[in-house]
């Protein structure tokens, strides 16, 4: 008699939409079936997603789960075509695809360059850049006072900060954002995906070459110079991979976080009133946004190094697994029956996993929090009546199931 656990979703793998869209309805349906579900990725690649908060927390820190694509069975068997839109996530060399001693080596090198002191030193620059962007919002608005807040505020703030931190010339910033968008897109064709990856590598190689020739007080120069006691350095591929990941993660996620927080506050004016009346903090807003509408929906990839049973479901060895951050944030088993409600007074909001967990916890979390709280406080202090210019459901969604946000955020600055 077979007494093994049965997952009702197992026979009906969830087909992830390459065009993205709002993930929450599908997440709720899948969570009702279980914390782990099979999925079909673009190109008919089979994978799994971990959706439940507790299961995801266990999975992210599990000793038998790897990040290195040498454990990706289908990739190693030659079954993944060049130009697969998610291939960069698997094959880029850097901290997010390293395990064990190699990961500790890269993280140690990075931490020497990306210190808490260096982040705190950015505070005056973040405040100054935020003020400058706010000054430009009214001039960028149309005659009826509408401006795309994502384009003119939520994007240039984190992009400007991360490029300044890395020592990337301002002339590269717009193109690097466009390339980042293409790399995280899941609806892109093979030729476009390969071209975007190639151009990103070429651009960052140029940046690294410039910083090698003329080092400055920036993160790229520090990474080039960084040494561990045994003399290890970033290899050329590791340096470019780390720069790529730092630029993408360092602005795309914060861009989505600021965008999602503004959307949440505009559609929950009672919550905005709590902050403006000092009954809650901007930090509360950021943490609840991270839980309620995570800037990353499904992050690729991790691979079990053996058949792994999680919440009663077997994840076969070598399967590409997505971390379902947007689903975990609204898991009623972890956050209560009102998990779908945006409530900045919620106790335990820091229990979200949107910045990761375990050895791969986001190294840029302090910077993302500093940028987001600064941006939101100054934005709503300057424009307390700011509101959406179109109904929230009509906002065009991100063309990706990795990033979770909208493409544009038209607002009226004065309501």
């Amino acid at each position: 008699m077979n007494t093994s656990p049965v997952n009702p979703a197992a026979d009906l793998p969830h087909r992830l939409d390459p065009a993205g869209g709002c993930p929450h309805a599908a997440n709720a349906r899948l969570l009702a079936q279980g914390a782990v579900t099979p999925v079909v990725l673009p190109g008919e690649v089979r994978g799994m997603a971990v959706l439940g908060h507790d299961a995801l927390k266990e999975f992210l820190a599990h000793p038998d789960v790897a990040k290195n694509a040498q454990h990706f069975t289908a990739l190693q068997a030659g079954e993944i075509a060049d130009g697969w839109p998610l291939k960069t996530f698997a094959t880029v060399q850097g901290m997010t695809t390293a395990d064990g001693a190699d990961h500790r080596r890269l993280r140690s090198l990075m931490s020497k360059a990306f210190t808490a002191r260096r982040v705190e030193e950015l505070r005056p620059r973040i405040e100054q850049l935020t003020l400058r962007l706010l000054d430009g919002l009214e001039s960028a608005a149309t005659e009826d006072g509408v401006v795309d807040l994502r384009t003119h505020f939520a994007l240039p703030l984190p992009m400007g900060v991360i490029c300044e931190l890395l020592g990337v010339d301002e002339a590269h910033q717009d193109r690097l954002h466009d390339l980042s968008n293409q790399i995280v897109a899941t609806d892109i064709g093979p030729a476009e995906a390969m071209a975007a990856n190639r151009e990103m590598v070429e651009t960052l190689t140029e940046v690294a070459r410039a910083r090698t020739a003329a080092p400055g007080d920036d993160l790229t120069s520090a990474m080039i110079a960084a040494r561990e006691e045994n003399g290890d350095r970033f290899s050329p591929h590791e340096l470019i991979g780390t720069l790529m990941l730092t630029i993408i993660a360092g602005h795309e996620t914060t861009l989505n976080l600021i965008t999602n927080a503004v959307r949440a506050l505009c559609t929950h004016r009672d919550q905005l009133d709590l902050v403006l009346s000092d009954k809650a903090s901007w930090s509360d807003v950021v943490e609840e946004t991270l839980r309620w509408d995570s800037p990353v929906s499904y992050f690729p990839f991790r691979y079990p190094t053996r058949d792994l049973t999680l919440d009663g479901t077997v994840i076969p060895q070598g399967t590409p697994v997505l971390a379902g951050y947007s689903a975990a944030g609204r898991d009623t088993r972890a956050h209560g029956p009102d998990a779908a409600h945006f409530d900045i007074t919620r106790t335990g909001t820091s229990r979200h996993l949107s910045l990761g967990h375990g050895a791969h916890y986001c190294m840029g979390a302090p910077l993302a929090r500093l940028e987001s709280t600064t941006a939101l406080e100054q934005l709503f202090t300057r424009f307390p009546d700011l509101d959406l210019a179109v109904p929230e459901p009509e906002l065009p969604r991100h063309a990706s199931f990795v990033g979770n946000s909208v493409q544009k955020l038209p607002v009226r600055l004065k309501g």
Side-chain angles (χ1 to χ4, degrees), residues 16-29:
L16 289 163
D17 185 354
C22 182
H24 298 302
N27 286 345
R29 175 176 59 81

Side-chain angles (χ1 to χ4, degrees), residues 127-362:
E127 293 174 346
Q128 178 187 32
L129 180 54
T130 302
L131 285 171
R132 181 167 66 80
L133 292 170
L134 289 174
D135 288 341
L137 280 180
E138 288 186 277
S139 60
T142 60
E143 289 184 4
D144 59 354
V146 175
V147 63
D148 181 2
L149 199 72
R150 186 174 173 91
T151 298
H152 294 283
F153 182 70
L155 165 61
L157 176 59
M159 191 64 175
V161 171
I162 200 65
C163 284
E164 182 170 323
L165 184 65
L166 290 170
V168 176
D169 291 341
E170 190 171 343
H172 292 306
Q173 292 185 17
D174 287 346
R175 188 58 186 152
L176 285 173
H177 171 64
D178 291 341
L179 292 170
S180 296
N181 255 342
Q182 294 177 60
I183 288 171
V184 302
T186 49
D187 66 343
I188 192 171
E192 293 85 356
M194 292 172 70
N197 191 74
R198 183 168 55 249
E199 186 178 347
M200 175 71 91
V201 169
E202 290 170 353
T203 302
L204 295 178
T205 299
E206 181 182 335
V207 170
R209 189 180 299 119
R211 296 281 70 80
T212 301
D217 184 22
D218 57 75
L219 182 55
T220 302
S221 299
M223 285 192 289
I224 292 169
R227 278 189 183 275
E228 283 196 321
E229 291 178 1
N230 61 5
D232 281 342
R233 290 184 182 271
F234 286 92
S235 73
H237 288 300
E238 289 170 344
L239 176 62
I240 298 305
T242 300
L243 286 174
M244 182 187 300
L245 294 165
T246 303
I247 285 176
I248 294 173
H251 92 277
E252 288 279 353
T253 52
T254 307
L255 163 60
N256 289 348
L257 173 55
I258 294 171
T259 301
N260 293 354
V262 172
R263 289 167 49 226
L265 291 171
C266 286
T267 53
H268 300 81
R269 306 300 296 195
D270 60 323
Q271 301 297 298
L272 176 58
D273 290 342
L274 288 174
V275 196
L276 294 178
S277 60
D278 295 324
K279 295 177 181 175
S281 70
W282 293 106
S283 178
D284 293 331
V285 173
V286 168
E287 298 308 317
E288 178 67 348
T289 302
L290 284 165
R291 180 201 70 82
W292 183 74
D293 208 11
S294 172
V296 173
S297 191
Y298 291 97
F299 192 79
F301 287 115
R302 284 172 168 82
Y303 320 94
T305 58
R306 61 172 178 81
D307 287 358
L308 186 67
T309 300
L310 200 64
D311 196 50
T313 297
V314 175
I315 306 176
Q317 177 181 342
T319 300
V321 182
L322 300 169
Y325 293 118
S326 64
R330 297 196 184 189
D331 183 357
T332 56
R333 288 175 292 183
H335 303 292
D338 66 341
H341 296 156
F342 181 75
D343 178 6
I344 63 175
T345 66
R346 181 187 303 274
T347 56
T349 54
S350 61
R351 291 181 64 236
H352 67 76
L353 298 170
S354 292
L355 296 171
H357 176 67
H360 286 271
Y361 182 79
C362 177

Side-chain angles (χ1 to χ4, degrees), residues 117-132:
R117 176 187 60 82
R118 187 178 288 266
V119 170
E120 185 56 33
E121 287 174 352
L122 287 169
R123 182 183 295 274
R125 176 60 181 141
I126 292 169
E127 293 174 346
Q128 178 187 32
L129 180 54
T130 302
L131 285 171
R132 181 167 66 80

